[in-house]
Amino acid sequence: LSVPTILTRMGVLEGFWHHEYWLPPGAIWEDLKESADIHYPLPQHLLLCIPGALLLIFVQCIFERRVQHLCFLLTVALPLGRALGVSDKRRPKVQTNAALEGFYILLGRTSKKEELVSLAKKSDLLFRKVETWFRHRLAQDHPRLMKKFCEASWRFTFCFTSLFSALALLYDKPWFWDQTMYWLKFPQQPLPPALGWFYLLQELQLSFYCSLVAILPFDVKRKVNFKEQIIHHIATITLIFVSYCASMIQFGMIVMLLHDASDYILELAKILHYLKWKWISEAVFNVFISPLVIFPLIVYYYFVTKISLFPISCLVSAFLMIRQLLQIFWSSVIIQMIFNIILHG
């Protein structure tokens, strides 16, 4: 089925898929007619991301052994962490106290000293005992080092595999080495001959970020990262969806490849940090900051200057800027961390 045929059958969504929103001025969906040798991306391909995300969540649970009853023989991260010497610190046991536990569930993480004093009086306990109980209870809920290691190992494995799969798929394409060719003949940029592999890579990327959004409530909650992660995942899912539907094939692949490169470096730096390989992890963190410069020079500049303005291009530009701002935020946090280590140990 061609794009025009799909859009005609959608009927109700005809306004949403109007060519003036999705394609540059002067282009219409009829320009993307398929033939025996030429194929263009179709929106319904992206529906495969739903079962793909469910499959990746299952694979991640096995990889990290998040569920105890899953096959231990297929678990990778947990035995790897143990073999490399990752171990959790012993935590003090917390005595059972229904009154303190009830208060902790309601206000434990945000409780103030005055509230603890009042609670100590009501419970007929010493303030120091209540304060110690809350400190130990907070420590009990703090993410364990092994869990952090397993989570980073899974993301590193996926991003590393995705990156080098994309490189293997794109290294012989002329536009991969020449940024001025990103928008050549756009939107008439058919899918590459390696159709099956291209579909698989696009679906896996979209499925991966959908799975990250689904499993985010169960991941490690970091102090300055939870809201930013949600924004990052939503922006990435939107960029993949929009670039695929608007036939921005070459541009979409380059953006995906660049961010996979930075993501796997970041996850590798985390793994090295959890292994307490201090100086190596700091060096890798510094390498992660490089996309802060590379991304706007290679991608964003050519997007803003070479493509005509139309609604979807403005949307893509906005979400690219969101991702760049997140990159600046995370890089500033890493730079601050490195300076704190250098100045204060």
Side-chain angles (χ1 to χ4, degrees):
L1 295 176
S2 64
V3 172
T5 304
I6 295 294
L7 299 180
T8 301
R9 292 186 178 183
M10 285 182 176
V12 178
L13 298 176
E14 187 175 354
F16 176 77
W17 292 106
H18 197 278
H19 64 84
E20 289 185 356
Y21 302 149
W22 290 85
L23 301 178
I28 59 175
W29 289 115
E30 294 294 334
D31 296 334
L32 306 181
K33 284 185 177 180
E34 293 196 334
S35 65
D37 301 322
I38 299 177
H39 300 275
Y40 290 98
L42 298 175
Q44 72 267 30
H45 293 158
L46 299 179
L47 293 175
L48 292 174
C49 74
I50 299 173
L54 295 174
L55 178 62
L56 283 178
I57 291 173
F58 179 73
V59 173
Q60 181 180 356
C61 290
I62 293 178
F63 187 94
E64 299 181 22
R65 206 189 179 198
R66 292 194 179 212
V67 181
Q68 295 296 322
H69 300 293
L70 292 175
C71 182
F72 180 75
L73 294 176
L74 298 177
T75 302
V76 176
L78 191 63
L80 178 63
R82 289 171 178 169
L84 293 174
V86 178
S87 59
D88 296 319
K89 293 181 179 178
R90 290 187 177 182
R91 300 181 181 183
K93 293 183 179 180
V94 179
Q95 294 180 350
T96 304
N97 187 307
L100 297 181
E101 183 67 27
F103 186 85
Y104 174 82
I105 293 172
L106 290 175
L107 296 171
R109 295 183 179 275
T110 58
S111 56
K112 299 177 181 178
K113 183 177 180 180
E114 296 79 11
E115 293 172 331
L116 295 183
V117 171
S118 175
L119 183 63
K121 292 179 180 178
K122 291 179 181 179
S123 305
D124 197 23
L125 295 171
L126 293 174
F127 169 74
R128 183 174 295 179
K129 186 174 182 180
V130 172
E131 188 181 37
T132 302
W133 188 95
F134 267 80
R135 187 171 62 253
H136 291 171
R137 185 66 179 83
L138 281 169
Q140 196 175 61
D141 280 354
H142 191 74
R144 294 183 179 274
L145 190 63
M146 182 62 79
K147 178 176 173 60
K148 292 181 180 179
F149 175 85
C150 292
E151 182 184 299
S153 298
W154 162 249
R155 297 187 182 188
F156 168 80
T157 301
F158 183 90
C159 293
F160 183 86
T161 305
S162 176
L163 170 66
F164 285 95
S165 298
L167 287 174
L169 191 65
L170 301 178
Y171 80 96
D172 60 343
K173 306 296 186 293
W175 51 266
F176 179 73
W177 304 101
D178 186 356
Q179 293 82 16
T180 60
M181 297 179 65
Y182 286 168
W183 304 109
L184 192 65
K185 298 181 180 179
F186 174 76
Q188 293 176 308
Q189 294 181 341
L191 292 168
L195 195 62
W197 289 109
F198 185 86
Y199 282 161
L200 180 62
L201 197 57
Q202 288 282 326
E203 294 298 338
L204 279 176
Q205 280 289 329
L206 189 55
S207 299
F208 177 66
Y209 285 102
C210 287
S211 71
L212 291 183
V213 170
I215 208 167
L216 199 58
F218 309 101
D219 279 344
V220 173
K221 304 292 189 303
R222 292 178 172 85
K223 294 178 183 178
V224 294
N225 206 30
F226 186 72
K227 293 179 181 178
E228 290 77 10
Q229 275 188 312
I230 294 175
I231 296 171
H232 171 270
H233 298 339
I234 292 174
T236 304
I237 290 170
T238 303
L239 283 172
I240 294 174
F241 174 82
V242 169
S243 64
Y244 192 82
C245 292
S247 196
M248 299 179 183
I249 300 302
Q250 298 173 7
F251 172 76
M253 288 295 290
I254 293 297
V255 171
M256 184 176 68
L257 189 147
L258 275 177
H259 281 285
D260 275 345
S262 61
D263 287 347
Y264 101 84
I265 292 172
L266 177 61
E267 299 304 333
L268 175 61
K270 289 180 185 178
I271 291 171
L272 295 172
H273 177 68
Y274 301 147
L275 293 174
K276 295 180 172 49
W277 296 0
K278 181 179 177 181
W279 296 110
I280 301 176
S281 67
E282 289 173 17
V284 176
F285 271 127
N286 284 321
V287 174
F288 167 74
I289 298 172
S290 61
L292 189 66
V293 178
I294 295 174
F295 179 73
L297 289 179
I298 293 181
V299 176
Y300 195 74
Y301 170 79
Y302 285 99
F303 182 83
V304 173
T305 58
K306 301 296 182 181
I307 192 170
S308 304
L309 286 178
F310 58 99
I312 286 300
S313 74
C314 295
L315 179 67
V316 170
S317 182
F319 278 96
L320 287 174
M321 181 57 69
I322 289 172
R323 288 200 57 152
Q324 184 62 21
L325 291 173
L326 288 172
Q327 188 81 31
I328 293 171
F329 168 75
W330 281 319
S331 299
S332 66
V333 171
I334 291 171
I335 292 170
Q336 183 181 5
M337 178 196 71
I338 292 171
F339 271 105
N340 284 338
I341 292 173
I342 293 172
L343 297 176
H344 307 295

